[in-house]
Amino acid sequence: MIDPAGPAAERAHFVGGTPFFASQHDQRLFYALYVPKDHTPDADPLPLAVIQHGTGRSAELYRDRWKPFAIEHRCVILTPLFPAGLIEPGELHSYKFLEFHGIRFDLELLHIVDEVGARFNTVTSRFFLHGFSGGGQFAHRFLYAHPDRLSGVSIGAPGRITQLDDSLPWWLGTGGFFEKFGIRVDVDAMRRVPVQMVVGTEDTETWEINNPGGPNWLDGVAETGSTRVERLETLRDNYRSHGIEVRWDVVPGVGHQGAAVIPVVQDFAASLLVPGGVR
């Protein structure tokens, strides 16, 4: 918890838009926040919204774009930063698949969330999660591992999807999920999590997502669709076939632009971020 009796100049950096802090569990990973400036350690804890960046690591941009929402809806915004080039120079995609060379990004996010709860008077038992593009990849795979920690999840325009299908190998499907992560996918628990899928009507460029032989490619990806719109439709239909309700939002005139779908995501999040952090 931030010391309210500490020096005023130092306290000022722990409300509003904060600096990027190193995670105390793994100091290679970072996070920033927006904390409403009138929020105090002795106030009721505020609900938490986690906005996960994509390949471009635009964590600060997302933090700032969510500032008005945090003020209006009384919540804390957390934007993790998982740097490119961890372990392997130039590597871009590792966090999207939850694990890389022993780093469990899903668990590291939970460590960050718990740290934020302890330091910033925020509800951490359940939180809202949104990710776009690479962040959308991370968000839906995080849902498979930790549905009990989510008050809602918004999956934005992932270039590669993981279907609920044990006959398909990870990460095309959930085959081998328990062996890899030590967690069984709990579809019943997933059904209790409000799910949004969001993509722009013009999100049809394929140069980044159709790259056979690339480090984030498996044979079978093309069968899920050729564009992000088609692949998200495949994921939507897969979820619905398992009895998981999906709010489906296609934003007119929008290409692959995470900032442009924020209003639609915030409309979904507004009903979920309530006092106590749970709808």
PDB file of all heavy atoms in Angstrom, residues 144 162-181 183 185 218:
ATOM      1  N   TYR A 144      -8.547 -19.386 -20.720  1.00  0.00           N
ATOM      2  CA  TYR A 144      -8.522 -20.844 -20.574  1.00  0.00           C
ATOM      3  C   TYR A 144      -7.848 -21.257 -19.270  1.00  0.00           C
ATOM      4  O   TYR A 144      -8.250 -22.237 -18.641  1.00  0.00           O
ATOM      5  CB  TYR A 144      -7.762 -21.493 -21.741  1.00  0.00           C
ATOM      6  CG  TYR A 144      -8.372 -21.259 -23.096  1.00  0.00           C
ATOM      7  CD1 TYR A 144      -7.649 -21.481 -24.251  1.00  0.00           C
ATOM      8  CD2 TYR A 144      -9.682 -20.786 -23.233  1.00  0.00           C
ATOM      9  CE1 TYR A 144      -8.195 -21.272 -25.505  1.00  0.00           C
ATOM     10  CE2 TYR A 144     -10.229 -20.562 -24.480  1.00  0.00           C
ATOM     11  CZ  TYR A 144      -9.488 -20.802 -25.609  1.00  0.00           C
ATOM     12  OH  TYR A 144     -10.028 -20.584 -26.837  1.00  0.00           O
ATOM     13  N   THR A 162      -6.783 -19.942 -30.574  1.00  0.00           N
ATOM     14  CA  THR A 162      -6.729 -21.272 -29.966  1.00  0.00           C
ATOM     15  C   THR A 162      -8.157 -21.717 -29.702  1.00  0.00           C
ATOM     16  O   THR A 162      -8.854 -21.125 -28.873  1.00  0.00           O
ATOM     17  CB  THR A 162      -5.943 -21.248 -28.645  1.00  0.00           C
ATOM     18  OG1 THR A 162      -4.585 -20.883 -28.916  1.00  0.00           O
ATOM     19  CG2 THR A 162      -5.979 -22.607 -27.967  1.00  0.00           C
ATOM     20  N   GLN A 163      -8.602 -22.735 -30.416  1.00  0.00           N
ATOM     21  CA  GLN A 163      -9.959 -23.218 -30.235  1.00  0.00           C
ATOM     22  C   GLN A 163     -10.042 -24.179 -29.044  1.00  0.00           C
ATOM     23  O   GLN A 163      -9.059 -24.843 -28.698  1.00  0.00           O
ATOM     24  CB  GLN A 163     -10.433 -23.930 -31.495  1.00  0.00           C
ATOM     25  CG  GLN A 163     -10.492 -23.024 -32.715  1.00  0.00           C
ATOM     26  CD  GLN A 163     -11.121 -23.718 -33.901  1.00  0.00           C
ATOM     27  OE1 GLN A 163     -12.325 -23.984 -33.927  1.00  0.00           O
ATOM     28  NE2 GLN A 163     -10.305 -24.020 -34.898  1.00  0.00           N
ATOM     29  N   LEU A 164     -11.218 -24.232 -28.452  1.00  0.00           N
ATOM     30  CA  LEU A 164     -11.489 -25.222 -27.419  1.00  0.00           C
ATOM     31  C   LEU A 164     -11.687 -26.567 -28.112  1.00  0.00           C
ATOM     32  O   LEU A 164     -12.789 -26.930 -28.507  1.00  0.00           O
ATOM     33  CB  LEU A 164     -12.732 -24.829 -26.619  1.00  0.00           C
ATOM     34  CG  LEU A 164     -12.576 -23.646 -25.675  1.00  0.00           C
ATOM     35  CD1 LEU A 164     -13.937 -23.205 -25.155  1.00  0.00           C
ATOM     36  CD2 LEU A 164     -11.648 -23.996 -24.525  1.00  0.00           C
ATOM     37  N   ASP A 165     -10.591 -27.285 -28.285  1.00  0.00           N
ATOM     38  CA  ASP A 165     -10.633 -28.539 -29.034  1.00  0.00           C
ATOM     39  C   ASP A 165      -9.412 -29.356 -28.639  1.00  0.00           C
ATOM     40  O   ASP A 165      -8.280 -29.064 -29.058  1.00  0.00           O
ATOM     41  CB  ASP A 165     -10.637 -28.264 -30.538  1.00  0.00           C
ATOM     42  CG  ASP A 165     -10.840 -29.521 -31.367  1.00  0.00           C
ATOM     43  OD1 ASP A 165     -10.629 -30.632 -30.839  1.00  0.00           O
ATOM     44  OD2 ASP A 165     -11.187 -29.391 -32.561  1.00  0.00           O
ATOM     45  N   ASP A 166      -9.615 -30.374 -27.828  1.00  0.00           N
ATOM     46  CA  ASP A 166      -8.497 -31.198 -27.357  1.00  0.00           C
ATOM     47  C   ASP A 166      -7.907 -32.075 -28.444  1.00  0.00           C
ATOM     48  O   ASP A 166      -6.837 -32.673 -28.244  1.00  0.00           O
ATOM     49  CB  ASP A 166      -8.944 -32.068 -26.175  1.00  0.00           C
ATOM     50  CG  ASP A 166      -9.205 -31.264 -24.921  1.00  0.00           C
ATOM     51  OD1 ASP A 166      -8.740 -30.108 -24.855  1.00  0.00           O
ATOM     52  OD2 ASP A 166      -9.884 -31.777 -24.008  1.00  0.00           O
ATOM     53  N   SER A 167      -8.569 -32.165 -29.597  1.00  0.00           N
ATOM     54  CA  SER A 167      -8.005 -32.959 -30.688  1.00  0.00           C
ATOM     55  C   SER A 167      -6.958 -32.184 -31.469  1.00  0.00           C
ATOM     56  O   SER A 167      -6.231 -32.761 -32.288  1.00  0.00           O
ATOM     57  CB  SER A 167      -9.117 -33.431 -31.632  1.00  0.00           C
ATOM     58  OG  SER A 167      -9.627 -32.349 -32.411  1.00  0.00           O
ATOM     59  N   LEU A 168      -6.876 -30.865 -31.230  1.00  0.00           N
ATOM     60  CA  LEU A 168      -5.878 -30.030 -31.892  1.00  0.00           C
ATOM     61  C   LEU A 168      -4.751 -29.729 -30.918  1.00  0.00           C
ATOM     62  O   LEU A 168      -4.993 -29.415 -29.752  1.00  0.00           O
ATOM     63  CB  LEU A 168      -6.508 -28.718 -32.364  1.00  0.00           C
ATOM     64  CG  LEU A 168      -7.583 -28.811 -33.447  1.00  0.00           C
ATOM     65  CD1 LEU A 168      -8.213 -27.435 -33.673  1.00  0.00           C
ATOM     66  CD2 LEU A 168      -6.991 -29.348 -34.746  1.00  0.00           C
ATOM     67  N   PRO A 169      -3.506 -29.793 -31.384  1.00  0.00           N
ATOM     68  CA  PRO A 169      -2.382 -29.543 -30.480  1.00  0.00           C
ATOM     69  C   PRO A 169      -2.328 -28.073 -30.073  1.00  0.00           C
ATOM     70  O   PRO A 169      -2.750 -27.179 -30.826  1.00  0.00           O
ATOM     71  CB  PRO A 169      -1.160 -29.932 -31.313  1.00  0.00           C
ATOM     72  CG  PRO A 169      -1.591 -29.667 -32.727  1.00  0.00           C
ATOM     73  CD  PRO A 169      -3.053 -30.036 -32.777  1.00  0.00           C
ATOM     74  N   TRP A 170      -1.808 -27.838 -28.862  1.00  0.00           N
ATOM     75  CA  TRP A 170      -1.552 -26.473 -28.438  1.00  0.00           C
ATOM     76  C   TRP A 170      -0.561 -25.833 -29.424  1.00  0.00           C
ATOM     77  O   TRP A 170       0.410 -26.453 -29.797  1.00  0.00           O
ATOM     78  CB  TRP A 170      -0.951 -26.480 -27.025  1.00  0.00           C
ATOM     79  CG  TRP A 170      -0.590 -25.118 -26.532  1.00  0.00           C
ATOM     80  CD1 TRP A 170       0.645 -24.552 -26.479  1.00  0.00           C
ATOM     81  CD2 TRP A 170      -1.506 -24.143 -26.024  1.00  0.00           C
ATOM     82  NE1 TRP A 170       0.580 -23.292 -25.986  1.00  0.00           N
ATOM     83  CE2 TRP A 170      -0.735 -23.001 -25.691  1.00  0.00           C
ATOM     84  CE3 TRP A 170      -2.886 -24.105 -25.825  1.00  0.00           C
ATOM     85  CZ2 TRP A 170      -1.310 -21.844 -25.169  1.00  0.00           C
ATOM     86  CZ3 TRP A 170      -3.451 -22.962 -25.303  1.00  0.00           C
ATOM     87  CH2 TRP A 170      -2.671 -21.850 -24.980  1.00  0.00           C
ATOM     88  N   TRP A 171      -0.860 -24.682 -29.896  1.00  0.00           N
ATOM     89  CA  TRP A 171      -1.839 -23.687 -29.521  1.00  0.00           C
ATOM     90  C   TRP A 171      -2.964 -23.527 -30.534  1.00  0.00           C
ATOM     91  O   TRP A 171      -3.782 -22.610 -30.401  1.00  0.00           O
ATOM     92  CB  TRP A 171      -1.154 -22.324 -29.327  1.00  0.00           C
ATOM     93  CG  TRP A 171      -0.186 -21.959 -30.421  1.00  0.00           C
ATOM     94  CD1 TRP A 171       1.177 -22.111 -30.382  1.00  0.00           C
ATOM     95  CD2 TRP A 171      -0.480 -21.411 -31.716  1.00  0.00           C
ATOM     96  NE1 TRP A 171       1.749 -21.697 -31.565  1.00  0.00           N
ATOM     97  CE2 TRP A 171       0.760 -21.267 -32.405  1.00  0.00           C
ATOM     98  CE3 TRP A 171      -1.632 -21.040 -32.388  1.00  0.00           C
ATOM     99  CZ2 TRP A 171       0.855 -20.765 -33.709  1.00  0.00           C
ATOM    100  CZ3 TRP A 171      -1.545 -20.548 -33.684  1.00  0.00           C
ATOM    101  CH2 TRP A 171      -0.310 -20.404 -34.330  1.00  0.00           C
ATOM    102  N   LEU A 172      -3.003 -24.401 -31.540  1.00  0.00           N
ATOM    103  CA  LEU A 172      -4.161 -24.394 -32.437  1.00  0.00           C
ATOM    104  C   LEU A 172      -5.415 -24.756 -31.654  1.00  0.00           C
ATOM    105  O   LEU A 172      -6.509 -24.249 -31.915  1.00  0.00           O
ATOM    106  CB  LEU A 172      -3.964 -25.376 -33.581  1.00  0.00           C
ATOM    107  CG  LEU A 172      -2.914 -25.023 -34.628  1.00  0.00           C
ATOM    108  CD1 LEU A 172      -2.771 -26.167 -35.609  1.00  0.00           C
ATOM    109  CD2 LEU A 172      -3.277 -23.731 -35.349  1.00  0.00           C
ATOM    110  N   GLY A 173      -5.255 -25.667 -30.709  1.00  0.00           N
ATOM    111  CA  GLY A 173      -6.346 -26.097 -29.844  1.00  0.00           C
ATOM    112  C   GLY A 173      -5.809 -26.296 -28.439  1.00  0.00           C
ATOM    113  O   GLY A 173      -4.696 -25.871 -28.104  1.00  0.00           O
ATOM    114  N   THR A 174      -6.591 -26.979 -27.637  1.00  0.00           N
ATOM    115  CA  THR A 174      -6.248 -27.158 -26.229  1.00  0.00           C
ATOM    116  C   THR A 174      -5.649 -28.536 -25.941  1.00  0.00           C
ATOM    117  O   THR A 174      -5.514 -28.921 -24.779  1.00  0.00           O
ATOM    118  CB  THR A 174      -7.485 -26.928 -25.351  1.00  0.00           C
ATOM    119  OG1 THR A 174      -8.610 -27.650 -25.906  1.00  0.00           O
ATOM    120  CG2 THR A 174      -7.826 -25.452 -25.287  1.00  0.00           C
ATOM    121  N   GLY A 175      -5.301 -29.260 -26.971  1.00  0.00           N
ATOM    122  CA  GLY A 175      -4.636 -30.541 -26.763  1.00  0.00           C
ATOM    123  C   GLY A 175      -3.318 -30.357 -26.015  1.00  0.00           C
ATOM    124  O   GLY A 175      -2.502 -29.512 -26.401  1.00  0.00           O
ATOM    125  N   GLY A 176      -3.112 -31.116 -24.961  1.00  0.00           N
ATOM    126  CA  GLY A 176      -1.885 -31.027 -24.189  1.00  0.00           C
ATOM    127  C   GLY A 176      -1.815 -29.841 -23.247  1.00  0.00           C
ATOM    128  O   GLY A 176      -0.755 -29.569 -22.666  1.00  0.00           O
ATOM    129  N   PHE A 177      -2.941 -29.143 -23.065  1.00  0.00           N
ATOM    130  CA  PHE A 177      -2.932 -27.943 -22.208  1.00  0.00           C
ATOM    131  C   PHE A 177      -2.542 -28.287 -20.776  1.00  0.00           C
ATOM    132  O   PHE A 177      -1.711 -27.612 -20.163  1.00  0.00           O
ATOM    133  CB  PHE A 177      -4.310 -27.273 -22.243  1.00  0.00           C
ATOM    134  CG  PHE A 177      -4.365 -25.920 -21.598  1.00  0.00           C
ATOM    135  CD1 PHE A 177      -4.072 -24.779 -22.338  1.00  0.00           C
ATOM    136  CD2 PHE A 177      -4.715 -25.769 -20.266  1.00  0.00           C
ATOM    137  CE1 PHE A 177      -4.119 -23.518 -21.752  1.00  0.00           C
ATOM    138  CE2 PHE A 177      -4.761 -24.519 -19.671  1.00  0.00           C
ATOM    139  CZ  PHE A 177      -4.460 -23.393 -20.416  1.00  0.00           C
ATOM    140  N   PHE A 178      -3.129 -29.360 -20.245  1.00  0.00           N
ATOM    141  CA  PHE A 178      -2.813 -29.731 -18.868  1.00  0.00           C
ATOM    142  C   PHE A 178      -1.351 -30.144 -18.734  1.00  0.00           C
ATOM    143  O   PHE A 178      -0.667 -29.771 -17.767  1.00  0.00           O
ATOM    144  CB  PHE A 178      -3.717 -30.874 -18.404  1.00  0.00           C
ATOM    145  CG  PHE A 178      -3.385 -31.364 -17.028  1.00  0.00           C
ATOM    146  CD1 PHE A 178      -3.757 -30.637 -15.903  1.00  0.00           C
ATOM    147  CD2 PHE A 178      -2.680 -32.550 -16.846  1.00  0.00           C
ATOM    148  CE1 PHE A 178      -3.436 -31.080 -14.628  1.00  0.00           C
ATOM    149  CE2 PHE A 178      -2.357 -33.000 -15.573  1.00  0.00           C
ATOM    150  CZ  PHE A 178      -2.731 -32.259 -14.464  1.00  0.00           C
ATOM    151  N   GLU A 179      -0.856 -30.888 -19.690  1.00  0.00           N
ATOM    152  CA  GLU A 179       0.527 -31.344 -19.624  1.00  0.00           C
ATOM    153  C   GLU A 179       1.494 -30.160 -19.670  1.00  0.00           C
ATOM    154  O   GLU A 179       2.551 -30.191 -19.024  1.00  0.00           O
ATOM    155  CB  GLU A 179       0.824 -32.306 -20.774  1.00  0.00           C
ATOM    156  CG  GLU A 179       0.152 -33.663 -20.653  1.00  0.00           C
ATOM    157  CD  GLU A 179      -1.346 -33.627 -20.948  1.00  0.00           C
ATOM    158  OE1 GLU A 179      -1.833 -32.612 -21.510  1.00  0.00           O
ATOM    159  OE2 GLU A 179      -2.026 -34.621 -20.625  1.00  0.00           O
ATOM    160  N   LYS A 180       1.139 -29.128 -20.409  1.00  0.00           N
ATOM    161  CA  LYS A 180       2.029 -27.974 -20.560  1.00  0.00           C
ATOM    162  C   LYS A 180       1.929 -27.009 -19.388  1.00  0.00           C
ATOM    163  O   LYS A 180       2.940 -26.481 -18.907  1.00  0.00           O
ATOM    164  CB  LYS A 180       1.710 -27.222 -21.864  1.00  0.00           C
ATOM    165  CG  LYS A 180       2.667 -26.073 -22.152  1.00  0.00           C
ATOM    166  CD  LYS A 180       2.432 -25.514 -23.527  1.00  0.00           C
ATOM    167  CE  LYS A 180       3.454 -24.429 -23.858  1.00  0.00           C
ATOM    168  NZ  LYS A 180       4.838 -24.935 -23.907  1.00  0.00           N
ATOM    169  N   PHE A 181       0.696 -26.774 -18.888  1.00  0.00           N
ATOM    170  CA  PHE A 181       0.493 -25.715 -17.900  1.00  0.00           C
ATOM    171  C   PHE A 181       0.089 -26.221 -16.516  1.00  0.00           C
ATOM    172  O   PHE A 181       0.045 -25.434 -15.569  1.00  0.00           O
ATOM    173  CB  PHE A 181      -0.579 -24.741 -18.400  1.00  0.00           C
ATOM    174  CG  PHE A 181      -0.187 -24.018 -19.667  1.00  0.00           C
ATOM    175  CD1 PHE A 181      -0.798 -24.339 -20.877  1.00  0.00           C
ATOM    176  CD2 PHE A 181       0.802 -23.056 -19.659  1.00  0.00           C
ATOM    177  CE1 PHE A 181      -0.442 -23.688 -22.046  1.00  0.00           C
ATOM    178  CE2 PHE A 181       1.170 -22.402 -20.829  1.00  0.00           C
ATOM    179  CZ  PHE A 181       0.548 -22.720 -22.023  1.00  0.00           C
ATOM    180  N   ILE A 183      -2.840 -27.102 -15.665  1.00  0.00           N
ATOM    181  CA  ILE A 183      -4.172 -26.564 -15.427  1.00  0.00           C
ATOM    182  C   ILE A 183      -5.135 -27.241 -16.394  1.00  0.00           C
ATOM    183  O   ILE A 183      -4.819 -27.386 -17.585  1.00  0.00           O
ATOM    184  CB  ILE A 183      -4.220 -25.039 -15.671  1.00  0.00           C
ATOM    185  CG1 ILE A 183      -3.254 -24.312 -14.730  1.00  0.00           C
ATOM    186  CG2 ILE A 183      -5.634 -24.495 -15.502  1.00  0.00           C
ATOM    187  CD1 ILE A 183      -3.072 -22.847 -15.074  1.00  0.00           C
ATOM    188  N   VAL A 185      -8.521 -27.052 -18.526  1.00  0.00           N
ATOM    189  CA  VAL A 185      -9.468 -26.061 -19.036  1.00  0.00           C
ATOM    190  C   VAL A 185     -10.846 -26.362 -18.464  1.00  0.00           C
ATOM    191  O   VAL A 185     -11.369 -27.462 -18.625  1.00  0.00           O
ATOM    192  CB  VAL A 185      -9.504 -26.075 -20.572  1.00  0.00           C
ATOM    193  CG1 VAL A 185     -10.557 -25.105 -21.090  1.00  0.00           C
ATOM    194  CG2 VAL A 185      -8.131 -25.731 -21.146  1.00  0.00           C
ATOM    195  N   LEU A 218       1.832 -22.378 -37.080  1.00  0.00           N
ATOM    196  CA  LEU A 218       1.701 -23.826 -37.070  1.00  0.00           C
ATOM    197  C   LEU A 218       0.853 -24.223 -38.261  1.00  0.00           C
ATOM    198  O   LEU A 218      -0.092 -23.505 -38.629  1.00  0.00           O
ATOM    199  CB  LEU A 218       1.019 -24.310 -35.781  1.00  0.00           C
ATOM    200  CG  LEU A 218       1.800 -24.218 -34.470  1.00  0.00           C
ATOM    201  CD1 LEU A 218       0.907 -24.638 -33.306  1.00  0.00           C
ATOM    202  CD2 LEU A 218       3.044 -25.093 -34.523  1.00  0.00           C
TER     203      LEU A 218
END
